[in-house]
Amino acid sequence: MHEEAMCNCIVCGELKPHDQGLRIVTEFICGSCEREMVQTDVLDEKYPFYVHQMRQIWIHKNA
Ligand SMILES: [Zn+2]
């Protein structure tokens, strides 16, 4: 059985295999973005971008 479900990463927007990332509710973050997020310092200029992307999930969810 070879089923390759692809998910759209909410951070980079790329299609990645669903088993190579992190699923949050109905959203998906690919493995490389997940790694980057873990390594991103809160003082890093990228951090607000991630927070913004994450917040969109909850806004969408609670809308
Ligand atoms: Zn990604």
Side-chain angles (χ1 to χ4, degrees):
M1 189 161 177
H2 187 72
E3 191 180 308
E4 263 194 75
M6 301 293 276
C7 289
N8 225 332
C9 172
I10 57 143
V11 180
C12 67
E14 284 178 36
L15 273 176
K16 303 281 176 110
H18 74 107
D19 59 348
Q20 286 177 24
L22 177 74
R23 195 176 271 283
I24 303 172
V25 197
T26 58
E27 308 297 335
F28 173 78
I29 296 172
C30 75
S32 55
C33 288
E34 185 191 348
R35 261 194 308 280
E36 254 198 271
M37 283 179 78
V38 169
Q39 289 168 2
T40 300
D41 196 276
V42 271
L43 298 176
D44 194 291
E45 60 179 11
K46 267 185 172 176
Y47 194 76
F49 170 73
Y50 289 129
V51 172
H52 176 77
Q53 295 288 356
M54 297 294 281
R55 200 168 285 156
Q56 281 190 316
I57 301 173
W58 310 122
I59 291 169
H60 185 73
K61 183 76 181 162
N62 297 323

